[in-house]
Amino acid sequence: MYASRMSHLPPYLFARIDEMKAEQQRKGVDIIDLGVGDPDLPTPDHIVASLCKAAKNPENHHYPSYAGMPAYRSAVADWYRQRFGVKLDAGREVLALMGSKDGITHIGEAFVNPGDYVLAPSPGYPGYYTGTLFSEGKVHEMPLLHENNFLPVLDNIPKKVAKSAKLMFINYPNNPTAAIAPREFYREVADFAADNTIIVVSDNPYSEVAFDGYRAPSFLETKGAIEVGVEMHSLSKTYNMTGWRVGMAVGNADVIAGLGRVKTNVDSGVFNAVQLAAVTALRGPQDCVKEACTIYQERRDVLISGLQDLGFDVPSPKATFYVWLPVQDCMAFSAKLLNEAGIVATPGIGFGSGGEGYVRFALTRPVARINEALERMRRLDL
Ligand SMILES: *Cc1c(COP(=O)(O)O)cnc(C)c1O
């Protein structure tokens, strides 16, 4: 019944974990879910209020414009200028997305011919793989290894692959490894992309989730970046708006136009009221972003010091709300946590073969729950 590409879709590991979790819940186990990368904190009130107001205006009840409302695109351009010093033409260099997943999974259809290579980090966000599959490209995995600070080594990409690659996904601050990228890395990527005529897609949804004073850069701050690529950002993680489905692609006008043309044919844009609430988020007070970081930072400190007390060698991440823990066997480790302690952690293999040997904890539960999880882990023989 199903098309053959369906059999190439990665086994949806998260669905299997959900099943295992449901089984424990049926037994009455109090589950501590540190698996899913979805903020537990609510969307700030002023943003919700803005949606309510905009939803009541019948003018907003029609089909949105495909590329996004001018008010939204100029708010995005202003945010990029203020936050990163990156100047964008709101008309040609900004596109509204239904979350960055929308852009990630559809950009291949505009630029990848069957058999073309797409360079994607492993471990990496599953959308890089599925988007490539839908455009019938071939993924070339760029391993993210601890000894390379979880940055891909561009020199290790075979020349033939580099020459026939169309797209390269990069993602810093990184999910799942929580690694950050130095500016030199972005310069290398921009040069590599120019030399090999590759479009860079910088997936940057965690730029605002950072600790200890660290400020993540945008790839577009790099000289030459806008000639070779785009960046995707999203309101999902920055403003706790995962359910709202609103984000943006910004950068190279031709790339933005190609992605926009695909999207014109598959969706009809983001609800205007959601775009106007997103304008409120981007233009309004930013204390809520700082407050969320303070909360994640406290959780990070509790989890990291607890894990270190348990004997794990795990560094304290500077950004994202993840902890990437090295373990022997990721499936066995996460099954043990779930079945013997009621703790959900994501096995690294769910992010590609490069994730073996790690589990990912999401800091999306309160400190009290993280402490309870650590208490339960102390009772296990890990
Ligand atoms: C959460 C996430 C996304 C997708 O977020 P949207 O809600 O679709 O904006 C994309 N990439 C990475 C690495 C993520 O963690």
Side-chain angles (χ1 to χ4, degrees):
M1 183 208 286
Y2 296 121
S4 50
R5 77 173 64 83
M6 295 284 278
S7 63
H8 300 301
L9 284 173
Y12 204 55
L13 192 80
F14 299 104
R16 231 185 92 206
I17 293 169
D18 276 348
E19 260 167 48
M20 283 164 66
K21 186 178 140 185
E23 191 187 312
Q24 292 299 313
Q25 269 163 335
R26 274 194 299 275
K27 286 191 208 154
V29 175
D30 166 33
I31 299 281
I32 304 173
D33 192 344
L34 305 176
V36 189
D38 186 354
D40 57 325
L41 310 167
T43 306
D45 284 340
H46 67 288
I47 303 172
V48 176
S50 173
L51 172 75
C52 293
K53 187 166 162 244
K56 284 181 184 154
N57 182 352
E59 273 177 35
N60 293 330
H61 295 173
H62 303 285
Y63 282 120
S65 72
Y66 287 113
M69 299 169 85
Y72 176 64
R73 283 186 290 159
S74 66
V76 168
D78 287 346
W79 186 80
Y80 256 82
R81 187 169 42 74
Q82 281 161 14
R83 171 64 179 85
F84 300 113
V86 170
K87 287 201 190 90
L88 296 165
D89 174 346
R92 299 163 57 244
E93 295 174 337
V94 178
L95 178 71
L97 298 176
M98 298 159 79
S100 43
K101 185 178 187 178
D102 173 25
I104 291 163
T105 53
H106 284 120
I107 195 165
E109 281 157 326
F111 299 101
V112 176
N113 282 313
D116 286 346
Y117 277 110
V118 171
L119 307 172
S122 177
Y125 181 70
Y128 312 144
Y129 294 84
T130 47
T132 304
L133 180 70
F134 288 132
S135 56
E136 296 178 49
K138 283 189 298 207
V139 170
H140 177 82
E141 296 188 16
M142 302 185 292
L144 305 187
L145 305 177
H146 177 256
E147 64 255 39
N148 302 322
N149 299 317
F150 301 107
L151 297 166
V153 178
L154 304 181
D155 282 342
N156 289 349
I157 299 166
K159 293 274 173 298
K160 261 178 72 180
V161 172
K163 284 291 168 206
S164 65
K166 294 302 284 288
L167 290 182
M168 174 193 246
F169 287 103
I170 52 172
N171 163 227
Y172 294 96
N174 182 259
N175 174 13
T177 69
I180 56 175
R183 288 171 193 274
E184 302 87 80
F185 172 72
Y186 282 152
R187 211 164 307 132
E188 264 178 55
V189 168
D191 290 345
F192 180 85
D195 290 347
N196 294 289
T197 340
I198 293 170
I199 296 167
V200 176
V201 181
S202 166
D203 181 23
N204 199 4
Y206 297 100
S207 61
E208 307 314 297
V209 185
F211 316 122
D212 311 326
Y214 174 69
R215 297 280 276 165
S218 160
F219 171 63
L220 297 179
E221 290 174 46
T222 314
K223 198 164 160 278
I226 197 148
E227 272 83 62
V228 297
V230 293
E231 184 157 276
M232 298 194 190
H233 184 77
S234 164
L235 280 78
S236 289
K237 319 286 164 56
T238 304
Y239 301 102
N240 309 325
M241 289 170 69
T242 48
W244 296 53
R245 312 313 304 138
V246 59
M248 60 282 232
V250 300
N252 186 278
D254 295 327
V255 178
I256 293 292
L259 173 59
R261 218 168 126 196
V262 170
K263 278 176 49 58
T264 303
N265 289 283
V266 296
D267 69 64
S268 300
V270 177
F271 181 27
N272 283 343
V274 168
Q275 290 189 59
L276 291 169
V279 170
T280 300
L282 294 168
R283 291 203 187 278
Q286 301 297 302
D287 330 352
C288 53
V289 178
K290 232 185 178 161
E291 282 159 18
C293 290
T294 306
I295 292 171
Y296 293 134
Q297 184 169 327
E298 188 192 355
R299 295 173 180 179
R300 174 201 68 169
D301 292 343
V302 168
L303 183 58
I304 292 288
S305 69
L307 289 170
Q308 286 172 345
D309 288 346
L310 281 163
F312 289 100
D313 181 16
V314 59
S316 189
K318 288 276 179 241
T320 77
F321 43 61
Y322 302 112
V323 166
W324 188 235
L325 182 73
V327 297
Q328 276 289 325
D329 171 334
C330 71
M331 284 306 289
F333 190 90
S334 52
K336 188 178 171 92
L337 282 188
L338 182 54
N339 298 326
E340 296 175 31
I343 300 164
V344 181
T346 310
I349 195 87
F351 304 98
S353 58
E356 179 51 275
Y358 290 88
V359 295
R360 188 194 74 178
F361 291 97
L363 300 168
T364 48
R365 290 292 175 265
V367 163
R369 297 296 279 168
I370 292 172
N371 271 323
E372 166 70 19
L374 287 165
E375 189 53 47
R376 292 185 196 177
M377 284 167 75
R378 272 178 215 118
R379 283 182 243 130
L380 290 184
D381 175 30
L382 290 174

